[in-house]
Amino acid sequence: RWAFEEVGQPYAVNLIRDAKTPEHRRVQPFGQVPTYRDDSVEIFESGAIALHICETAGALVPTDPAARIRALQWLTAALNSVEPFVMALAVNDIFEADREWSRARHAKVVEDLKARLADLEAALGDKTWLDGETFTVGDLMMVSVLGGLRGTPMLDGFPGLAAYVARGEARPAHRKAMADHMATFAETAAA
């Protein structure tokens, strides 16, 4: 939703109740969401989807070859170098919190995540966005990944990253996308 809002492209959301059905697995072999379909492609994976939306619209992906590859580098880093650490915390503390080893493992998961966040904050430095003053698809994906830490104290020790996430989430497109996203859940719960 955020990518669509950023580029100003209308979109429709199709909610699914079960991502593990054979029909959904024909589009997403791992039984996950999101998926995307337009007149030319049917794809899965949030990074590929965001990149396709932005490239198709000619937005958030710089045309300069060096700047373009840096934006793609940060999109990839968000999903491959940062998200696994964010997800490790969620898996340990939420999805597997009832396991006997979860409490003992928490400290190591937090230590690893904090080390990764320290690296990211150092790379960000005093820049507004990851590659300077221009918001790109890499920032969209990184802020999305870091949003997984919302409601936790994990960013408290990283004021530069906290400010970076706040800047991203303050963008009008993000605010609208999240409001629409949450409204969908409210409507579904009310039905």
Side-chain angles (χ1 to χ4, degrees), residues 117 121 146-147 149-150 152-162 165:
L117 294 175
E121 186 169 66
L146 294 174
L149 299 174
R150 197 177 299 109
T152 75
M154 290 307 302
L155 291 178
D156 291 352
F158 303 96
L161 283 184
V165 171

Side-chain angles (χ1 to χ4, degrees), residues 16-33 35:
I16 61 171
R17 295 238 180 252
D18 184 359
K20 304 297 185 189
T21 65
E23 293 127 357
H24 186 70
R25 283 183 182 272
R26 279 192 280 282
V27 178
Q28 213 303 352
F30 306 109
Q32 299 171 317
V33 293
T35 61

Side-chain angles (χ1 to χ4, degrees), residues 42-126:
E42 189 167 13
I43 57 177
F44 62 94
E45 290 298 335
S46 56
I49 293 166
L51 181 59
H52 176 72
I53 291 165
C54 294
E55 284 191 325
T56 300
L60 304 184
V61 181
T63 56
D64 171 72
R68 178 184 187 281
I69 202 65
R70 287 192 305 269
L72 299 183
Q73 155 192 278
W74 284 114
L75 178 143
T76 304
L79 299 171
N80 292 332
S81 298
V82 177
E83 188 174 43
F85 293 89
V86 172
M87 286 306 300
L89 181 67
V91 168
N92 190 77
D93 290 8
I94 298 170
F95 301 113
E96 296 180 352
D98 61 339
R99 305 289 174 95
E100 78 177 54
W101 45 262
S102 178
R103 186 179 308 264
R105 190 167 186 277
H106 174 82
K108 176 64 172 148
V109 169
V110 168
E111 177 186 331
D112 291 347
L113 175 56
K114 284 183 176 181
R116 189 52 47 113
L117 294 175
D119 292 340
L120 180 58
E121 186 169 66
L124 177 64
D126 61 358

